Amino acid sequence: MRYALLHILFALAFAPLLAGVINRVKAFFGGRRGPSLLQLYYDLFKLLRKGAVYSRTTSWVFRAGPCIALAAVLLALVLTPLGTTPALLAFPGDLLLVVYALGLMRFVTVLAALDTGSAFEGMGASREVQFSALAEVALLVGLLAVAARVEAFSLSVLARQAWSGGMAWPSDAILLLVAAALLVVLLAENARLPFDDPNTHLELTMIHEVMILDHGGVDLAMIEYASALKLWVMGAILVSLALPLPTAQPMLNLVAGLGAIMVLALLIGVIESVMARLRLVRVPQLLVTAGILSFLAVMVAMR
Amino acid sequence: MQAVREILVIVLILLNFRLLGTSRLGACVQTVALQAVVIGLLPLLGPRLPAPWVIAMVAAATLVKAVVLPALVRRALRETGVVRELEPLMGYTLSILTGTGLLVLCYLAGRQLQLPQGGAGQLLIPATLFTMLTGLFLIVARRKAITQVLGFLVLENGIYLFGVAFAVHEPWLVQTGVLLDVFAAVFVMGITIYQINREFDHIDTDRLSTQGLKR
């Protein structure tokens, strides 16, 4: 319980750091010094001090969007374990709730984008929905594969089993497949590079950034913070399921989990540095492939 | 050992999906060669080490399928100047989805078949069936003659592995026969592709069959 609380505090405090790590790695590959590791914190504080401007076309949906998005991702965070550190709330079936809390976050962001009445944002919303519909299959089926193997339906139990290495080798093959699928889903859902370029503003190919163009001030801060937490939540799930790192000390486990998430951020930075963005028509293919990895994991799990 | 075999079988299935999903012919050839290596490794990782002459036979078969045949196809690629398969009869995402359907079918069929000697893992038979079906699918769903040749190679890989899976005593005789067939086939095809290309300036089988109609 204590450690679960500690994990949540760590997540709330360090989630914006992940973006800093990723950008630092990209700067290193590009031969630049890059922004400070704390840049996103500065941005958030700057935005929090600003007022908001609302267009007259928007309704309450636009204002509610960021609040509900932040609330949804906080709910997901409460349900997310980190390695052997269980989630604050754990019950059978909570993995569905985590996936759909993130789904709710996406849904309200899309609604807010459509509410602005801008054709540009509508385009981004349409793409976001198209890609996440494919990513959701990969994510859910992958989690179900692990659930079928462990024969439990709670994310905390799955993570504890996988992390403590209590699974035999063939099921580790499941974990490898699921880890690969989850990594693809993580990149797609968090608007990372092979799918979406977080650096491009006002470009016709972008997806996530285009949806939040009309948000400003506190609203934008909430959205940015919620995105950082979303990256943390998905990273925690990926790390918990993919890394068998058994240690006896709960505290040590928690620290190892935090380290693993930071390493994941490094990995994302490297992926972003060495890969180009996929052509938009190729994106569904990669997501379908991730779905197939998950699907194969289910087949291995069901033997 | 069991675990390594399990992983190799999964890799084999994933390689099939790569064949279904990529448009670059060079990558296809590479994948087929890699598949031959995986299939060559599988019988060696059994519960007991096979006899020396069996190892020699597997090594020879793998050498032919992973080095010689891909080299022949690459030569055909180079001489025809084809880089990628444009406009396949069935799109790549749809091919991958069809592959998933085939995999489910193979899984269901594989549950009915009981392996004479166990130890290969339940996924081996579905994987071999799936490899064969992938080969057939490539032959049906792609236009370029080279992809169709690769489809034959994949089909042969599947048959070979099927033979290994059902190997009780001496499957090697059968496989040598199959291998000889395929070797001859690819040899002929390599020459044919070259000739077709020289005659018609392309290797598009679809356009070959309508050639007479247009005239």
Side-chain angles (χ1 to χ4, degrees), chain A residues 98-147:
Chain A
V98 171
V99 172
Y100 286 100
L102 295 177
L104 177 65
M105 174 188 173
R106 186 166 53 235
F107 177 66
V108 289
T109 316
V110 166
L111 273 193
L114 290 175
D115 195 41
T116 59
S118 142
F120 199 44
E121 297 200 22
M123 184 194 71
S126 136
R127 284 177 184 166
E128 171 95 359
V129 171
Q130 183 200 352
F131 296 151
S132 59
L134 294 169
E136 191 176 294
V137 175
L139 178 59
L140 258 186
V141 174
L143 288 180
L144 289 182
V146 184

Coordinates of all heavy atoms in Angstrom, one line a residue, chain A residues 98-147:
Chain A
V98 N -8.3 0.1 -17.1 CA -7.2 0.9 -17.5 C -7.2 1.3 -19.0 O -7.1 2.4 -19.4 CB -5.8 0.2 -17.2 CG1 -4.7 0.9 -17.7 CG2 -5.7 0.0 -15.7
V99 N -7.4 0.2 -19.8 CA -7.4 0.5 -21.3 C -8.5 1.5 -21.6 O -8.3 2.4 -22.4 CB -7.6 -0.9 -22.0 CG1 -7.9 -0.6 -23.5 CG2 -6.5 -1.8 -21.8
Y100 N -9.7 1.3 -21.0 CA -10.8 2.2 -21.4 C -10.8 3.6 -20.7 O -11.4 4.5 -21.2 CB -12.1 1.5 -21.3 CG -12.2 0.5 -22.4 CD1 -11.9 -0.8 -22.3 CD2 -12.4 1.0 -23.7 CE1 -11.9 -1.7 -23.3 CE2 -12.4 0.1 -24.8 CZ -12.2 -1.2 -24.6 OH -12.1 -2.1 -25.7
A101 N -10.0 3.7 -19.6 CA -9.8 5.0 -19.0 C -8.9 5.8 -20.0 O -9.2 7.0 -20.3 CB -9.1 4.9 -17.7
L102 N -7.9 5.1 -20.6 CA -7.1 5.8 -21.6 C -8.0 6.1 -22.8 O -7.8 7.1 -23.5 CB -5.9 4.9 -21.9 CG -4.9 4.7 -20.8 CD1 -3.8 3.8 -21.3 CD2 -4.3 6.0 -20.4
G103 N -8.9 5.2 -23.1 CA -9.8 5.4 -24.2 C -10.7 6.6 -24.0 O -10.9 7.4 -24.9
L104 N -11.1 6.8 -22.8 CA -12.0 7.9 -22.4 C -11.2 9.2 -22.6 O -11.7 10.2 -23.2 CB -12.5 7.8 -21.0 CG -13.3 9.0 -20.5 CD1 -14.6 9.1 -21.2 CD2 -13.6 8.9 -19.0
M105 N -9.9 9.2 -22.2 CA -9.1 10.3 -22.4 C -9.0 10.8 -23.8 O -9.2 11.9 -24.2 CB -7.7 10.0 -21.8 CG -6.7 11.1 -22.0 SD -5.1 10.5 -21.6 CE -4.1 11.9 -22.1
R106 N -8.8 9.7 -24.7 CA -8.7 10.0 -26.1 C -10.0 10.5 -26.6 O -10.1 11.5 -27.4 CB -8.3 8.7 -26.8 CG -8.0 8.8 -28.2 CD -7.3 7.6 -28.7 NE -8.1 6.4 -28.3 CZ -7.6 5.4 -27.7 NH1 -6.4 5.4 -27.2 NH2 -8.4 4.3 -27.4
F107 N -11.1 9.9 -26.1 CA -12.4 10.3 -26.6 C -12.7 11.8 -26.4 O -13.2 12.5 -27.2 CB -13.5 9.4 -26.0 CG -14.9 9.7 -26.4 CD1 -15.3 9.5 -27.7 CD2 -15.8 10.2 -25.4 CE1 -16.6 9.8 -28.0 CE2 -17.1 10.5 -25.8 CZ -17.5 10.3 -27.0
V108 N -12.5 12.2 -25.1 CA -12.8 13.6 -24.8 C -11.9 14.6 -25.5 O -12.3 15.7 -25.9 CB -12.8 13.9 -23.3 CG1 -13.9 13.2 -22.6 CG2 -11.4 13.5 -22.7
T109 N -10.6 14.2 -25.8 CA -9.7 15.0 -26.5 C -10.2 15.2 -28.0 O -10.2 16.3 -28.5 CB -8.3 14.4 -26.6 OG1 -8.0 14.0 -25.3 CG2 -7.3 15.5 -27.0
V110 N -10.7 14.1 -28.5 CA -11.3 14.1 -29.9 C -12.5 15.0 -29.9 O -12.7 15.8 -30.8 CB -11.6 12.7 -30.4 CG1 -12.5 12.7 -31.6 CG2 -10.3 11.9 -30.6
L111 N -13.4 14.8 -28.9 CA -14.6 15.6 -28.9 C -14.3 17.1 -28.8 O -14.9 17.9 -29.5 CB -15.4 15.3 -27.6 CG -16.4 14.1 -27.8 CD1 -17.4 14.1 -26.6 CD2 -17.2 14.2 -29.1
A112 N -13.3 17.5 -27.9 CA -12.9 18.9 -27.8 C -12.4 19.4 -29.1 O -12.7 20.5 -29.5 CB -11.9 19.0 -26.7
A113 N -11.6 18.5 -29.8 CA -11.1 19.0 -31.1 C -12.2 19.2 -32.1 O -12.2 20.2 -32.9 CB -10.1 17.9 -31.6
L114 N -13.2 18.3 -32.1 CA -14.3 18.5 -33.1 C -15.1 19.7 -32.7 O -15.7 20.3 -33.6 CB -15.2 17.2 -33.1 CG -14.5 16.0 -33.7 CD1 -15.4 14.8 -33.5 CD2 -14.2 16.2 -35.2
D115 N -15.2 20.0 -31.4 CA -16.0 21.1 -30.9 C -15.5 22.5 -31.4 O -16.3 23.4 -31.5 CB -16.0 21.1 -29.4 CG -17.2 21.9 -28.9 OD1 -18.3 21.9 -29.4 OD2 -16.9 22.6 -27.9
T116 N -14.3 22.6 -31.8 CA -13.8 23.8 -32.2 C -14.3 24.2 -33.6 O -14.3 25.3 -34.0 CB -12.2 23.8 -32.3 OG1 -11.9 22.8 -33.3 CG2 -11.6 23.6 -31.0
G117 N -14.8 23.2 -34.3 CA -15.4 23.5 -35.7 C -14.3 23.7 -36.7 O -14.6 24.1 -37.8
S118 N -13.0 23.5 -36.4 CA -12.0 23.7 -37.4 C -11.8 22.4 -38.2 O -11.7 21.3 -37.6 CB -10.7 24.0 -36.6 OG -9.6 23.4 -37.3
A119 N -11.7 22.6 -39.5 CA -11.6 21.4 -40.4 C -10.3 20.7 -40.1 O -10.1 19.5 -40.1 CB -11.7 21.8 -41.8
F120 N -9.3 21.5 -39.8 CA -7.9 21.0 -39.5 C -7.9 20.1 -38.3 O -7.4 19.0 -38.4 CB -7.0 22.2 -39.3 CG -5.6 22.0 -39.5 CD1 -5.1 21.3 -40.5 CD2 -4.7 22.5 -38.5 CE1 -3.8 21.0 -40.7 CE2 -3.3 22.3 -38.7 CZ -2.9 21.6 -39.8
E121 N -8.6 20.5 -37.3 CA -8.6 19.7 -36.1 C -9.5 18.4 -36.3 O -9.2 17.4 -35.7 CB -9.1 20.5 -34.9 CG -8.2 21.6 -34.6 CD -8.3 22.1 -33.2 OE1 -8.9 21.4 -32.3 OE2 -7.9 23.3 -32.9
G122 N -10.5 18.6 -37.1 CA -11.4 17.4 -37.4 C -10.6 16.4 -38.1 O -10.7 15.2 -37.8
M123 N -9.6 16.8 -39.0 CA -8.8 15.9 -39.7 C -7.9 15.1 -38.7 O -7.8 13.9 -38.8 CB -7.9 16.6 -40.7 CG -7.1 15.8 -41.6 SD -5.8 16.8 -42.4 CE -4.8 17.3 -41.0
G124 N -7.3 15.9 -37.8 CA -6.5 15.2 -36.8 C -7.3 14.2 -35.9 O -6.8 13.1 -35.7
A125 N -8.5 14.6 -35.6 CA -9.3 13.8 -34.7 C -9.6 12.5 -35.5 O -9.6 11.4 -34.9 CB -10.6 14.5 -34.4
S126 N -9.9 12.6 -36.8 CA -10.3 11.4 -37.6 C -9.1 10.5 -37.6 O -9.3 9.3 -37.4 CB -10.7 11.9 -39.0 OG -10.1 11.1 -39.9
R127 N -7.9 11.0 -37.8 CA -6.7 10.1 -37.8 C -6.5 9.5 -36.5 O -6.2 8.3 -36.4 CB -5.5 10.9 -38.2 CG -5.5 11.2 -39.7 CD -4.3 12.1 -40.0 NE -4.3 12.4 -41.4 CZ -3.6 13.4 -41.9 NH1 -2.8 14.1 -41.1 NH2 -3.6 13.7 -43.2
E128 N -6.6 10.3 -35.4 CA -6.4 9.8 -34.1 C -7.3 8.6 -33.8 O -6.9 7.5 -33.3 CB -6.6 10.9 -33.1 CG -6.6 10.4 -31.6 CD -5.3 10.6 -30.9 OE1 -4.4 11.0 -31.6 OE2 -5.2 10.2 -29.7
V129 N -8.6 8.7 -34.2 CA -9.5 7.7 -33.9 C -9.2 6.5 -34.8 O -9.3 5.3 -34.3 CB -10.9 8.2 -34.2 CG1 -11.9 7.1 -34.2 CG2 -11.3 9.3 -33.2
Q130 N -8.9 6.7 -36.1 CA -8.6 5.6 -37.0 C -7.4 4.7 -36.4 O -7.5 3.5 -36.3 CB -8.2 6.1 -38.3 CG -8.0 5.0 -39.3 CD -7.2 5.5 -40.5 OE1 -6.9 6.7 -40.7 NE2 -6.8 4.6 -41.4
F131 N -6.3 5.4 -36.0 CA -5.2 4.6 -35.6 C -5.4 4.0 -34.2 O -5.0 2.9 -34.0 CB -3.9 5.5 -35.6 CG -3.6 6.0 -36.9 CD1 -2.9 7.2 -37.1 CD2 -3.9 5.3 -38.0 CE1 -2.6 7.7 -38.4 CE2 -3.6 5.8 -39.3 CZ -2.9 7.0 -39.5
S132 N -6.1 4.7 -33.3 CA -6.2 4.1 -32.0 C -7.2 3.0 -32.0 O -7.1 2.1 -31.2 CB -6.7 5.2 -31.0 OG -7.9 5.8 -31.4
A133 N -8.1 3.0 -33.0 CA -9.0 1.8 -33.1 C -8.2 0.5 -33.4 O -8.5 -0.5 -32.9 CB -10.0 2.0 -34.2
L134 N -7.1 0.7 -34.2 CA -6.3 -0.5 -34.5 C -5.4 -0.8 -33.3 O -5.1 -1.9 -33.0 CB -5.4 -0.2 -35.7 CG -6.2 -0.1 -37.0 CD1 -5.3 0.5 -38.1 CD2 -6.8 -1.4 -37.4
A135 N -4.9 0.3 -32.6 CA -3.9 0.1 -31.5 C -4.6 -0.6 -30.4 O -4.0 -1.4 -29.6 CB -3.3 1.4 -31.1
E136 N -5.9 -0.2 -30.2 CA -6.6 -0.7 -29.0 C -6.7 -2.3 -29.1 O -6.6 -3.0 -28.1 CB -8.0 -0.1 -29.0 CG -8.8 -0.4 -27.7 CD -10.1 0.3 -27.8 OE1 -10.1 1.5 -27.8 OE2 -11.2 -0.4 -27.9
V137 N -6.9 -2.8 -30.3 CA -7.0 -4.2 -30.5 C -5.7 -4.9 -30.0 O -5.7 -5.8 -29.3 CB -7.2 -4.6 -32.0 CG1 -7.2 -6.1 -32.2 CG2 -8.6 -4.1 -32.4
A138 N -4.5 -4.3 -30.5 CA -3.2 -4.9 -30.2 C -3.0 -4.8 -28.7 O -2.6 -5.8 -28.1 CB -2.1 -4.1 -30.9
L139 N -3.4 -3.7 -28.0 CA -3.2 -3.6 -26.6 C -4.0 -4.6 -25.8 O -3.5 -5.3 -25.0 CB -3.5 -2.1 -26.2 CG -3.4 -1.8 -24.7 CD1 -2.0 -2.0 -24.2 CD2 -3.8 -0.3 -24.5
L140 N -5.3 -4.6 -26.1 CA -6.2 -5.5 -25.3 C -5.9 -6.9 -25.5 O -5.8 -7.7 -24.6 CB -7.7 -5.2 -25.8 CG -8.5 -4.3 -24.8 CD1 -9.9 -4.3 -25.3 CD2 -8.4 -4.8 -23.4
V141 N -5.7 -7.3 -26.8 CA -5.4 -8.7 -27.1 C -4.1 -9.2 -26.4 O -4.0 -10.3 -25.9 CB -5.4 -9.0 -28.6 CG1 -5.0 -10.4 -28.9 CG2 -6.8 -8.7 -29.2
G142 N -3.1 -8.2 -26.4 CA -1.9 -8.5 -25.8 C -2.0 -8.8 -24.3 O -1.5 -9.7 -23.7
L143 N -2.8 -7.9 -23.6 CA -3.0 -8.0 -22.2 C -3.8 -9.3 -21.9 O -3.5 -10.0 -21.0 CB -3.7 -6.8 -21.7 CG -2.9 -5.5 -21.6 CD1 -3.8 -4.4 -21.0 CD2 -1.7 -5.7 -20.7
L144 N -4.7 -9.6 -22.8 CA -5.5 -10.8 -22.6 C -4.6 -12.1 -22.7 O -4.9 -13.1 -22.0 CB -6.7 -10.9 -23.6 CG -7.8 -9.9 -23.3 CD1 -8.9 -10.0 -24.3 CD2 -8.3 -10.0 -21.9
A145 N -3.6 -12.0 -23.6 CA -2.7 -13.2 -23.8 C -2.0 -13.4 -22.5 O -2.0 -14.6 -22.0 CB -1.7 -12.9 -24.9
V146 N -1.5 -12.4 -21.9 CA -0.8 -12.6 -20.6 C -1.8 -13.0 -19.5 O -1.5 -13.9 -18.7 CB -0.1 -11.3 -20.1 CG1 0.7 -11.5 -18.9 CG2 0.8 -10.8 -21.2
A147 N -3.0 -12.5 -19.6 CA -4.0 -12.9 -18.6 C -4.4 -14.3 -18.7 O -4.5 -15.0 -17.7 CB -5.3 -12.0 -18.8

